[in-house]
Amino acid sequence: MSFSTMLSSMGEGMLRSCAIFILTILFSMPLGMIVMFLRRSRFTIVREITKIYIAIMRGTPLMLQLLMWYFGPYYLFGMNIRGYRFTAILLGFSMNYAAYFAEIYRGGMETIPVGQYEAAEILGYNKVQTFFKIILPQVLKAILPSVTNEIITLVKDTSLAFTLAYNEMFSIAKQIAASQTSFMPFVIAGVFYFAANYLVAFIMERIEKAFDYYK
Amino acid sequence: MILQMNGIKKSFGDLEVLKDISMHVDSGEVVSVIGPSGSGKSTLLRCATFLETIDAGDISYMGRSAVTTNANGVATYVHHAELSQIKRYFGLVFQQFNLFPHYSVLKNIMDAPVHVQKRHKEEVRAEAMELLRKMNLENRADAYPCQLSGGQQQRVAIARALALKPEILFFDEPTSALDPELTGEVLKVIRQLAEEKMTMVVVTHEMPFARAVSNRVIFMDKGVIVEEGDPEQVFGDPTQERTIQFLRNYQR
Ligand SMILES: Nc1ncnc2c1ncn2[C@@H]1O[C@H](COP(=O)(O)OP(=O)(O)OP(=O)(O)O)[C@@H](O)[C@H]1O
Ligand SMILES: [Mg+2]
């Protein structure tokens, strides 16, 4: 197999890896916000259930969670899981990352002094305005470094989709490496993940700079 | 009458912080509230501005009732829409300024008038610049709070409160978080507002200032108003033993 055929079949895997990455970010970041609000709910029962959810998501391997999301419906409900693979992957990744993002957001919320809420209340801002105009921008600034870490981890974690035999880049690299007895696919995979994370770090640094204008 | 508070009671758990406090503020009056640490001065302001809910008593602004207590001693606040209207009557300046760090000085002042009161942006901008001139900060409009001294931040906070055109402005120890050399510039601004007949209630430990600026002084201790009156009387010829004690400790 020539280097260019190797690259082109891996390129297709890269697109799939990117799809997992982008869709997971798109789903898990807003979902994490909801989970954070549930985690801070004034109803104890809601808080406790959310805590358990977060504990499970953080306390068990993502690989295992992916298997559960994929095979669970079949074993539990006898559901036909053909064509369900990609959905299971997105569910697994999004639900897992939402838990991590929720905890990051929660940490960020706790850095905001109560005086900010009180000033906003006295000035007449309603709850929604207070959150989106006053609190959230400050939370975002506070959590950017942790979010960067999390995103970099996600780039590498996309390779876990091989567990469900989804042909993302890492799975293809393994197949080619086995069939061609070549080490090259792994080198290409390594370069890909590294470059992707280099890009992530670059973009995040830009965003952090954009928040540098105060404090 | 701008503010009327009757029989205010407030406890935190078992701790009774306000025990049956009544006070009123007339238009154009400057009232100073003094008293030892923990006597409930901040709590009184926080109850007056609805940051804390009272356990019993009545509060009304401009004759509009915000909370009333029935014969069974149950305090009931008016519904949300009416309370929001009433909240427009007052402003509060905090000890810790509480400016929004991600907004420039000008945006700190303009944002609420524009987005809460829905007033015209250009009109608000002109007024905000005028306020900054008054605060002697017209060249810091584009600065961020972190770039200002404490005294400057507090003056921005005062401008921010004034931009909403409150009927009455509360101050909770506006100079306590400042270095001694910066208190003067803030007190000067408050004094200037007093001359313009701005209605104000000022909790302060600056006794000479309270004596010079206020029309009335309230001395609080352990959750009650111990003595109240003309500043010359309260400072010069206090009648209550606790007031005498307190003022003596202050002279040092
Ligand atoms: N949220 C709260 N929960 C419990 N106790 C409180 C709370 N706020 C105030 N207290 C208590 O109420 C009492 C009065 O506090 P307050 O802050 O009103 O006093 P103060 O007169 O403003 O004192 P200082 O001059 O130190 O500012 C204090 O004993 C304080 O510990
Ligand atoms: Mg206080």
Side-chain angles (χ1 to χ4, degrees), chain B residues 10-226:
Chain B
K10 174 70 186 173
S11 299
F12 293 111
D14 289 338
L15 183 69
E16 224 186 331
V17 178
L18 299 180
K19 307 166 186 164
D20 199 10
I21 295 248
S22 297
M23 70 178 280
H24 65 92
V25 182
D26 287 323
S27 180
E29 246 193 330
V30 179
V31 177
S32 291
V33 181
I34 60 171
S37 186
S39 55
K41 306 180 298 294
S42 296
T43 306
L44 179 65
L45 287 203
R46 293 174 59 82
C47 287
T49 53
F50 312 141
L51 288 176
E52 302 282 357
T53 48
I54 58 171
D55 300 330
D58 308 316
I59 301 176
S60 65
Y61 282 91
M62 313 292 288
R64 282 166 84 169
S65 185
V67 48
T68 50
T69 297
N70 64 15
N72 301 327
V74 182
T76 316
Y77 283 79
V78 293
H79 56 264
H80 182 79
E82 171 70 1
L83 205 61
S84 299
Q85 292 283 317
I86 293 175
K87 278 180 176 173
R88 289 184 164 210
Y89 290 132
F90 60 76
L92 171 61
V93 174
F94 299 86
Q95 186 175 339
Q96 301 293 343
F97 331 134
N98 295 340
L99 292 176
F100 303 133
H102 57 306
Y103 284 174
S104 70
V105 164
L106 190 61
K107 188 154 169 68
N108 260 284
I109 299 172
M110 287 178 60
D111 199 68
V114 172
H115 291 107
V116 174
Q117 294 188 333
K118 314 280 184 210
R119 288 171 47 208
H120 196 266
K121 196 165 178 176
E122 288 317 310
E123 175 194 316
V124 171
R125 184 192 306 277
E127 285 177 13
M129 289 310 295
E130 184 53 40
L131 280 167
L132 280 175
R133 245 188 304 285
K134 218 163 129 179
M135 299 295 144
N136 224 336
L137 287 168
E138 64 267 46
N139 52 357
R140 303 315 307 268
D142 297 322
Y144 283 85
C146 61
Q147 300 166 321
L148 303 179
S149 72
Q152 292 173 326
Q153 288 189 52
Q154 191 61 298
R155 283 180 282 148
V156 174
I158 294 172
R160 179 176 73 171
L162 289 171
L164 290 166
K165 305 185 177 176
E167 297 290 335
I168 177 172
L169 197 47
F170 296 96
F171 295 79
D172 191 0
E173 301 195 27
T175 58
S176 290
L178 301 179
D179 293 337
E181 71 270 21
L182 298 179
T183 59
E185 60 191 59
V186 172
L187 295 181
K188 193 177 136 203
V189 165
I190 301 174
R191 187 168 296 157
Q192 191 183 329
L193 291 174
E195 279 159 18
E196 295 166 13
K197 293 283 171 246
M198 179 77 208
T199 311
M200 295 185 283
V201 175
V202 189
V203 171
T204 182
H205 290 289
E206 303 281 340
M207 298 307 155
F209 167 80
R211 186 169 187 164
V213 172
S214 16
N215 306 103
R216 190 148 50 88
V217 176
I218 291 176
F219 170 64
M220 269 182 81
D221 191 18
K222 301 198 176 81
V224 297
I225 293 179
V226 175

